[in-house]
Amino acid sequence: MHVPAEDLAAVADAAHAVMREAKAAGVYVFGGGINAAVAPLRVAADGTVTNETWPETKALDGGFCVLQLPSRDAAIQWAAKIAAACRCAQELREFGDDPER
């Protein structure tokens, strides 16, 4: 995301408008931003904690939202709306269902 500082307020307004649209459509589950003021931790299976992220991760910036949608096509359409609002590409992931639910 490479947005000039003077455009950040407009991008935030556009992104919030898309989230309001998702809420009004009843597809919004939850979302939020990454708190850049708090460094990432990695916690191993044995409980060891290190002040780092995965070596493959160069930077984790921005936020995320979880939408409950009827199809992958619908997810792509919402991701496109978010990408247009944020002026940057979005990574689309799918949650797997909890088999014990």
Side-chain angles (χ1 to χ4, degrees):
M1 182 175 188
H2 301 287
V3 177
E6 62 271 12
D7 292 345
L8 285 175
V11 170
D13 288 346
H16 291 138
V18 173
M19 292 301 100
R20 285 191 299 275
E21 181 182 351
K23 289 174 184 177
V27 299
Y28 182 89
V29 178
F30 68 92
I34 303 300
N35 186 346
V38 178
L41 297 177
R42 220 167 69 181
V43 182
D46 67 0
T48 302
V49 178
T50 53
N51 292 315
E52 61 186 355
T53 186
W54 294 102
E56 300 86 358
T57 305
K58 295 186 178 37
L60 182 57
D61 190 16
F64 67 96
C65 70
V66 176
L67 305 179
Q68 186 171 7
L69 299 162
S71 68
R72 188 159 182 84
D73 286 340
I76 291 168
Q77 290 172 359
W78 277 100
K81 288 181 185 188
I82 296 167
C86 293
R87 302 183 192 177
C88 64
Q90 300 295 300
E91 183 175 343
L92 178 61
R93 297 288 183 124
E94 184 174 328
F95 277 108
D97 289 328
D98 179 354
E100 294 188 10
R101 193 173 80 165

